[in-house]
Amino acid sequence: MNDITPREALNFDELGFDTAAVRAGTLRSEYNEHAEALFLTSSFCFKSAAEAAERFANSEDFFTYSRFTNPTVTMLQDRLAALEGGEACIATASGMSAILSIVMSACNAGDHIVSSRSIFGSTLNLFATVFTRFGITTTFVDPNDLDAWRAAVQPTTKLFFLETPSNPLTEVSDIRAVADVAHEAGALFVVDNCFCSPALQRPIEHGADVVVHSATKYIDGQGRVLGGAIIGKRDFVMGKVFVFVRTTGPSLSAFNAWLMLRGLETLPIRMERQSANAFKIAQWLETQPGIKRVWYPSLASHPQHDIAKRQQKTGGALVAFELHGDTPEAQRANAWRVIDQTRVISITGNLGDTRTTITHPASTTHARVTPEARAAAGVTEGVIRLSVGLEDPNDICADLARGIA
Ligand SMILES: N[C@@H](CCOC(=O)CCC(=O)O)C(=O)O
């Protein structure tokens, strides 16, 4: 590929994380532009039919067609691989298409997955309803019960799936401990690192084989575009996932990749500040009598506080809390009242934005999950998820106080 860099290529393994966040992805055109260029083109031209044939035959090394190779997307992939400490990355159109691509690349009909039960609603549905139609079954387990992971293993188990911290309750699991069980079983261990981003947690360093992201969240960081990313060893990512994405087309657009490159430049400072704001808000929520329970990994009351301290740089920017209520209906009414009384916070089904967002998971992000699966994951009608942004945390507390009072 035309890797024309103004000076010699940088080795990001030897440079700091913050340096990689702004500089990794060094591909430049013949013009040696300073900022990453946006290559809005569906295809690339060839000097001859023979060159076209040669380049299509070696598509990993040449730009041919943007469904599978585009310079702007390559720069994003290179940067994400550097940030996660992986050998290679493939970017996709959304987080869900990233998970789909991993499973379709790793499993065949008749194979089996062991997954945490505490995962995003659409991921749970993908495993429980879509894959089963193609003969891939999943056993869901309590993510903090290592015996349950072990007991769920079958001769056909090919993949372990963990989300830590989990969506929406920020349940934290020991990545190294689950990795050991996965590897004893000969399974590929996939960790969804969406809530932390590589700025706060690098699962590959703790034994994960593959890291998956909804890049829509902290990687974009400003609530603008959808995207996904798969990071891991070259033989799996380029040998299998690349071929799947090339053939089936859940590819990331160059425009979205370009925005995400901009977003990543501020990832470390956004995560630091948003985490600090979230900690302040979580501490304040714990003092509110109207609130039954608060989940935030940096709080001493969090059930996996010790694991989080070991594994994450900060508690992250997601806070979950539960409202009182004698019945599920009363809990929902209380939660909706708090949400509806906000004026500053955005009521929306997304997270990872610089603006604070508030979500009622039971009726949005986890609405299509069965009530039993929601109950097993602890997602009651009283739970509210807050994705804390860059506003003054006092303004966010005041906005929440109106409904809580
Ligand atoms: N990952 C986002 C997703 C937003 O919600 C959904 O995708 C809902 C699922 C559906 O209705 O199909 C988040 O957690 O905020």
Side-chain angles (χ1 to χ4, degrees):
M1 289 183 179
N2 300 340
D3 194 356
I4 299 170
T5 49
R7 287 176 285 169
E8 82 248 37
L10 297 169
N11 178 1
F12 291 99
D13 292 338
E14 291 170 357
L15 295 166
F17 185 91
D18 294 5
T19 307
V22 294
R23 288 197 178 268
T26 54
L27 200 58
R28 294 295 181 271
S29 79
E30 64 197 280
Y31 300 113
N32 275 342
E33 61 279 359
H34 185 214
E36 299 80 12
L38 169 53
F39 288 90
L40 274 184
T41 180
S42 317
S43 65
F44 298 82
C45 293
F46 311 104
K47 291 194 188 80
S48 65
E51 185 180 83
E54 198 233 322
R55 293 193 168 194
F56 267 87
N58 296 288
S59 280
E60 282 173 43
D61 300 324
F62 295 104
F63 297 112
T64 50
Y65 190 69
S66 285
R67 174 160 24 91
F68 41 101
T69 45
N70 174 283
T72 313
V73 176
T74 297
M75 286 185 272
L76 176 70
Q77 292 174 163
D78 289 350
R79 188 170 298 175
L80 286 172
L83 294 178
E84 283 288 3
E87 291 174 5
C89 168
I90 292 289
T92 58
S94 66
M96 290 316 302
S97 61
I99 297 171
L100 173 75
S101 301
I102 292 168
V103 173
M104 290 287 111
S105 303
C107 300
N108 293 310
D111 285 343
H112 173 252
I113 296 169
V114 187
S115 170
S116 162
R117 68 184 180 198
S118 304
I119 54 176
F120 168 49
S122 293
T123 312
L124 215 144
N125 274 341
L126 180 65
F127 289 164
T129 64
V130 178
F131 291 148
T132 47
R133 288 173 36 224
F134 300 94
I136 300 168
T137 54
T138 301
T139 304
F140 294 98
V141 297
D142 173 345
N144 283 299
D145 181 348
L146 290 178
D147 290 337
W149 286 96
R150 228 173 261 119
V153 172
Q154 300 178 7
T156 52
T157 302
K158 288 284 162 31
L159 191 145
F160 270 39
F161 189 89
L162 176 69
E163 197 180 274
T164 181
S166 70
N167 186 353
L169 292 186
T170 73
E171 196 169 349
V172 174
S173 306
D174 186 332
I175 298 174
R176 172 62 62 190
V178 181
D180 289 346
V181 180
H183 295 149
E184 270 163 37
L188 187 79
F189 181 35
V190 181
V191 175
D192 188 328
N193 196 25
C194 179
F195 265 37
C196 270
S197 89
L200 303 186
Q201 169 177 278
R202 304 210 319 160
I204 291 172
E205 287 173 355
H206 301 286
D209 300 306
V210 178
V211 172
V212 65
H213 277 282
S214 167
T216 314
K217 310 301 183 317
Y218 292 105
I219 290 169
D220 171 32
Q222 292 167 57
R224 302 168 297 191
V225 290
L226 299 186
I230 300 153
I231 301 117
K233 293 223 163 61
R234 186 165 301 281
D235 58 353
F236 178 68
V237 174
M238 298 314 287
K240 294 194 168 169
V241 179
F242 173 78
V243 178
F244 177 81
V245 172
R246 175 182 188 168
T247 311
T248 60
S251 322
L252 184 69
S253 86
F255 180 70
N256 291 8
W258 183 77
L259 281 178
M260 287 173 184
L261 281 161
R262 302 271 76 75
L264 281 174
E265 292 178 9
T266 56
L267 179 74
I269 51 175
R270 275 190 282 114
M271 294 313 293
E272 194 180 316
R273 176 65 81 88
Q274 288 179 228
S275 300
N277 289 351
F279 193 19
K280 280 187 195 154
I281 293 166
Q283 286 171 314
W284 174 82
L285 282 167
E286 270 203 317
T287 66
Q288 300 305 299
I291 293 190
K292 192 171 162 192
R293 191 165 171 191
V294 182
W295 291 268
Y296 181 70
S298 296
L299 292 175
S301 59
H302 189 282
Q304 297 90 31
H305 176 60
D306 290 339
I307 305 174
K309 264 203 303 194
R310 241 186 6 248
Q311 195 169 268
Q312 302 175 200
K313 213 165 156 186
T314 71
L318 269 300
V319 181
F321 56 99
E322 189 178 26
L323 277 296
H324 289 288
D326 295 335
T327 61
E329 292 73 25
Q331 272 202 309
R332 175 179 282 213
N334 287 340
W336 282 20
R337 194 191 56 248
V338 171
I339 292 171
D340 290 347
Q341 293 283 321
T342 58
R343 299 287 174 270
V344 177
I345 303 170
S346 313
I347 306 171
T348 185
N350 196 19
L351 62 94
D353 202 306
T354 52
R355 292 158 291 192
T356 299
T357 59
I358 195 164
T359 305
H360 181 246
S363 57
T364 59
T365 58
H366 289 65
R368 292 189 305 139
V369 167
T370 62
E372 296 74 29
R374 262 204 309 274
V379 184
T380 69
E381 291 288 344
V383 169
I384 288 179
R385 187 188 73 188
L386 197 69
S387 168
V388 177
L390 290 174
E391 304 96 335
D392 184 333
N394 294 320
D395 291 337
I396 301 305
C397 293
D399 213 29
L400 292 169
R402 212 174 296 114
I404 292 169

